[in-house]
Amino acid sequence: QDVQVAQAGQPLDDAALFKRAKEFLEDAGKDRIFLYTHFAGALGSKIVQPDPKADPAAAPYALRDFGKDYRYNAEELKTSARAKATVDDYHAAMKAADASVKNLVDTLQAAGRLEKAVLVLTSMHGFELLEHGYLGSGWTLYDEAIRVPLIVRAPGAVPAAKSAALVSLVDVAP
């Protein structure tokens, strides 16, 4: 019954989202709840929210630039300062998202809800980081772009198992 969506022009902030999720859990008490949290650290990063004052020659590529600002061939792109800055920013964004997920799991455990919680962790899409001379997502069909993590934790409902099978977004909904 509580839906919150980021407003246009406001970067998504995983820390603020985690804070709101924690408040929601505290407000729920022992009630049964459904909590969907979309941590999107990369969406608040410099590759989505570019710094207008940054030197364009060294600043990370903005997502809106992917696919149209290619003065480099694949080898040049691998050594460009902008590509390195983009990869570094992407890694920082994923580290922040990982920390947010850990904080949420720790909060569920502290609230005594973890053992009955069904957790599903996945991603909207993959992201190529120069594995095939490309930087970004949504333009190719390489595994890096279309394969996503899929982790399901459902104590008592799904037996513990691990599979090395590759997961694509078409596998998530079913």
Side-chain angles (χ1 to χ4, degrees), residues 10-165:
Q10 296 176 343
L12 298 172
D13 181 324
D14 286 357
L17 183 58
F18 165 73
K19 181 180 176 194
R20 180 62 192 114
K22 185 176 179 182
E23 290 168 356
F24 179 81
L25 287 169
E26 290 167 353
D27 291 348
K30 298 292 180 190
D31 292 343
R32 291 180 64 162
I33 60 168
F34 175 83
L35 173 63
Y36 169 84
T37 307
H38 182 137
F39 292 114
L43 296 178
S45 70
K46 293 177 217 156
I47 58 178
V48 174
Q49 303 290 332
D51 179 355
K53 298 174 192 158
D55 174 6
Y61 282 99
L63 282 181
R64 66 176 181 262
D65 295 336
F66 291 157
K68 69 177 184 183
D69 186 11
Y70 282 98
R71 296 183 300 272
Y72 307 104
N73 65 35
E75 288 307 309
E76 290 170 333
L77 190 60
K78 287 181 181 180
T79 60
S80 83
R82 285 190 81 185
K84 181 180 182 335
T86 305
V87 170
D88 291 348
D89 192 60
Y90 180 82
H91 285 147
M94 291 303 96
K95 188 175 180 180
D98 288 348
S100 294
V101 170
K102 180 186 183 314
N103 287 341
L104 184 58
V105 170
D106 291 348
T107 299
L108 286 167
Q109 185 166 16
R113 288 182 171 268
L114 187 58
E115 289 313 311
K116 292 186 178 183
V118 174
L119 303 176
V120 179
L121 177 68
T122 191
S123 177
M124 294 185 331
H125 53 73
F127 199 89
E128 287 186 58
L129 297 171
L130 302 172
E131 293 87 357
H132 304 280
Y134 177 72
L135 192 57
S137 63
W139 295 90
T140 72
L141 295 176
Y142 289 112
D143 282 345
E144 293 82 3
I146 63 171
R147 301 297 180 185
V148 296
L150 178 60
I151 300 169
V152 178
R153 182 186 183 280
V158 178
K162 186 175 185 178
S163 172

